[in-house]
Amino acid sequence: MILKSLIRNNKIGVVILAAGSSSRLGYPKQLVEFEGKPMLQHIIDVAGSFEFETEVLVLGAGAEEIKEKIEPGKFEILLNENWQEGMASSIRTGLERSLEKEKDLEHLLILLSDQPFVSEERIEALIKEQLDGNSEATFSEYDGDVGVPAIFSSSVFPYLKELKGDHGAKKLVYDKKIQFRTVKFEKGNFDVDTKDDVELLKKLEKE
């Protein structure tokens, strides 16, 4: 409860990136079932349990089909018409809309639609580390690398707006000398790109 009040007091927004075409899978991975619901719905529900200042869901490929099969709740659905450019365009689109909704946003949490093991506890840990450390960014750490989910302070927003192509926010770690912290995330490296991944997810769900 203390953390959730901190979220309200710190003007934190959240963006879910779900615009990819799932070309290797052959159908929208956002709709792959996990624990009885589409993976995207799982992320919406987890993020929706917090009281963020802004909530934006970025769709692109297959947007109409996806919209029919999810309940966005508090999230505003935003269509990224330039989704083919890659993840960077969705980050820029989501950030720009978030700032239109709240110009004084202090932090932005970025989530993906295909990391089924993201939980409220994972998000809480990221936000706590970010606020306690007064950091420019806090990334999830898995397999000796960093990635999303991640949260960024407003000082990093200009860099996020400069991202191009299929580069995610992790590129900032290598290109910009930003101060960042990490939170370990077991199974954070698991995402769904192929039919083999879907089969493995079914097995992991039963464990």
Side-chain angles (χ1 to χ4, degrees):
M1 294 300 292
I2 294 173
L3 181 61
K4 293 194 176 183
S5 68
L6 279 174
I7 292 172
R8 286 196 298 273
N9 295 335
N10 280 274
K11 292 194 175 181
I12 301 172
V14 59
V15 172
I16 299 175
L17 307 179
S21 66
S22 312
S23 56
R24 283 194 281 169
L25 185 59
Y27 59 91
K29 62 182 176 182
Q30 298 91 329
L31 300 178
V32 169
E33 290 275 315
F34 177 69
E35 295 184 348
K37 65 176 77 170
M39 279 198 303
L40 175 54
Q41 189 67 57
H42 166 72
I43 297 295
I44 290 170
D45 293 347
V46 168
S49 67
F50 296 88
E51 293 186 37
F52 290 114
E53 193 76 22
T54 60
E55 294 111 346
V56 175
L57 168 59
V58 183
L59 297 181
E64 291 308 314
E65 180 183 359
I66 292 168
K67 282 193 286 187
E68 287 176 3
K69 295 180 179 178
I70 61 164
E71 292 290 339
K74 297 184 287 186
F75 278 81
E76 175 187 354
I77 294 178
L78 195 62
L79 181 62
N80 174 17
E81 295 183 351
N82 298 314
W83 61 266
Q84 288 174 305
E85 179 196 325
M87 186 183 292
S89 66
S90 290
I91 293 173
R92 297 195 311 266
T93 299
L95 172 59
E96 287 163 6
R97 180 57 184 146
S98 299
L99 289 172
E100 286 172 4
K101 291 161 74 77
E102 175 48 71
K103 65 181 177 63
D104 296 322
L105 205 62
E106 296 173 25
H107 302 269
L108 187 71
L109 173 69
I110 295 180
L111 303 172
L112 299 183
S113 63
D114 67 338
Q115 288 181 302
F117 298 106
V118 170
S119 63
E120 287 183 40
E121 292 75 21
R122 291 291 96 224
I123 291 175
E124 285 179 355
L126 270 177
I127 294 172
K128 187 174 187 304
E129 188 71 25
Q130 174 80 352
L131 298 180
D132 287 352
N134 192 28
S135 182
E136 287 189 301
T138 302
F139 289 88
S140 298
E141 180 184 348
Y142 37 83
D143 278 0
D145 201 358
V146 299
V148 288
I151 182 169
F152 303 89
S153 74
S154 57
S155 65
V156 179
F157 291 175
Y159 298 149
L160 293 175
K161 291 178 180 179
E162 292 172 2
L163 291 171
K164 303 289 184 186
D166 205 31
H167 292 294
K170 182 172 71 172
K171 189 176 188 327
L172 300 182
V173 172
Y174 305 109
D175 283 8
K176 310 286 184 183
K177 293 181 180 177
I178 65 169
Q179 172 208 3
F180 70 95
R181 301 169 77 93
T182 62
V183 173
K184 291 194 180 298
F185 176 16
E186 283 188 39
K187 297 183 180 176
N189 62 328
F190 184 88
D191 58 10
V192 176
D193 289 315
T194 66
K195 291 179 180 177
D196 286 343
D197 293 334
V198 174
E199 291 307 310
L200 180 56
L201 180 61
K202 289 177 182 176
K203 292 176 183 175
L204 291 171
E205 189 176 353
K206 292 173 183 176
E207 291 181 358

